[in-house]
Amino acid sequence: MSTEQIVLVVGASRGIGLSLVEQLAARPDTTAIGTARGSCAALEAITPKVKVLTLDLLDEESIQKAASTIPELDTLIVNGAIGARDPVTIIPTDKLFEYLNINVLGPHRVIQAFLPALRARKTRRIIGISSVGGSLATHAAPGSLAAQGLAGCYSTSKAAFNMMLVQFHNELQKERFTVIVLHPGFVATDMGNQAHLLKLAEKAGLVGMPVSTSVEGILKVVDGLDHTKSASFFDWKGDIVPW
Ligand SMILES: NC(=O)c1ccc[n+]([C@@H]2O[C@H](COP(=O)([O-])OP(=O)(O)OC[C@H]3O[C@@H](n4cnc5c(N)ncnc54)[C@H](OP(=O)(O)O)[C@@H]3O)[C@@H](O)[C@H]2O)c1
């Protein structure tokens, strides 16, 4: 039996997604596929060469078109998202809609579209790159550092994303899917390097970790998954994050 793993990362033009595809492509037993919203020199430059698909989380047609080219898939990693500090008390509702559209409805469109390909293999893993920002328990705790971070619209969307992935778990567990969400840690990407976060981190004595470190951890967690770990919220070290 072939041990080849086919892994697709949604939102792989930069940051954590790009690094995931780079590290997956370096594995001899893995076919790595990355998506970007348009042409993407960084993905195209990866050696050995990876398959690159055009996909925008907001564009159903692009998602269906991408999915139609992938008949079989072991692991779907839903990584792409937006995040800035947009407090719910002051932002217009349309802005919250944008967060939900990209960070929740987009992943919904993507997961549904790739279900046939996932069902065509036995591995059947769906990994949602979430955030401690989506942890209700962490945000409700008095003096929570996370609540001073991106919080607001971003956290609202990530909490909804987490709940949606648990629903996918509930509906797919009979088919032996493994569905988890994963916090990548505080990572030095465009999202992690926003001025507000850097200021907060400096005060707390924290430094964003290199992307490659987070991604090594994420892939170790993914490698160690089995069906019994479905519906878990892990961080990049494999520790449980409270819902
Ligand atoms: N960095 C951190 O410290 C941190 C902490 C906790 C959680 N996370 C989570 O980790 C994941 C990756 O974050 P990152 O730090 O790597 O962020 P990033 O550097 O800002 O990259 C975001 C990625 O999402 C893609 N994206 C945004 N809107 C999209 C859309 N409409 N359709 C398709 N792709 C879209 C971007 O594509 P374009 O290049 O086309 O914009 C880019 O590839 C996110 O889910 C984020 O919430 C990050």
Side-chain angles (χ1 to χ4, degrees):
M1 202 180 79
S2 159
T3 56
E4 185 216 15
Q5 289 292 301
I6 309 169
V7 185
L8 186 144
V9 182
V10 174
S13 59
R14 54 197 165 94
I16 292 166
L18 177 64
S19 180
L20 278 166
V21 176
E22 279 168 351
Q23 291 195 23
L24 287 163
R27 296 178 166 193
D29 62 347
T30 300
T31 297
I33 307 163
T35 79
R37 286 194 278 180
S39 62
C40 180
L43 269 178
E44 301 285 354
I46 295 175
T47 42
K49 232 176 146 23
V50 300
K51 194 174 170 79
V52 182
L53 300 175
T54 303
L55 185 157
D56 187 328
L57 287 162
L58 289 172
D59 179 1
E60 175 78 43
E61 204 181 316
S62 76
I63 294 169
Q64 293 298 338
K65 199 169 163 197
S68 72
T69 67
I70 307 294
E72 294 190 10
L73 185 61
D74 288 287
T75 302
L76 173 64
I77 305 182
V78 186
N79 168 76
I82 56 164
R85 186 159 172 85
D86 287 310
V88 294
T89 40
I90 56 172
I91 52 91
T93 303
D94 283 354
K95 187 72 187 169
L96 177 58
F97 176 77
E98 187 189 340
Y99 272 91
L100 296 173
N101 206 1
I102 295 175
N103 294 359
V104 187
L105 308 184
H108 183 255
R109 296 178 187 106
V110 161
I111 294 170
Q112 275 200 346
F114 284 95
L115 274 181
L118 289 161
R119 285 187 171 118
R121 307 276 285 194
K122 291 261 187 287
T123 321
R124 299 182 178 180
R125 280 193 300 226
I126 301 171
I127 314 299
I129 302 299
S130 183
S131 170
V132 71
S135 163
L136 290 161
T138 304
H139 277 253
S144 158
L145 186 65
Q148 298 166 52
L150 298 183
C153 291
Y154 174 71
S155 288
T156 304
S157 70
K158 286 296 190 183
F161 175 72
N162 289 353
M163 178 58 93
M164 184 176 74
L165 266 77
V166 173
Q167 301 312 311
F168 272 111
H169 157 82
N170 287 343
E171 295 174 31
L172 294 169
Q173 62 178 327
K174 278 202 201 94
E175 297 176 64
R176 294 192 76 75
F177 270 73
T178 303
V179 186
I180 65 150
V181 289
L182 204 151
H183 167 57
F186 176 39
V187 192
T189 61
D190 293 341
M191 193 182 289
N193 283 338
Q194 292 176 65
H196 167 80
L197 289 179
L198 293 181
K199 222 189 274 171
L200 189 67
E202 195 184 346
K203 263 209 261 169
L206 298 170
V207 180
M209 77 181 102
V211 189
S212 58
T213 307
S214 167
V215 167
E216 276 160 28
I218 292 171
L219 291 179
K220 202 166 157 201
V221 174
V222 173
D223 288 341
L225 285 178
D226 62 49
H227 181 62
T228 63
K229 294 183 179 152
S230 195
S232 296
F233 188 178
F234 291 113
D235 72 7
W236 64 284
K237 291 175 290 187
D239 294 333
I240 292 288
V241 180
W243 291 109

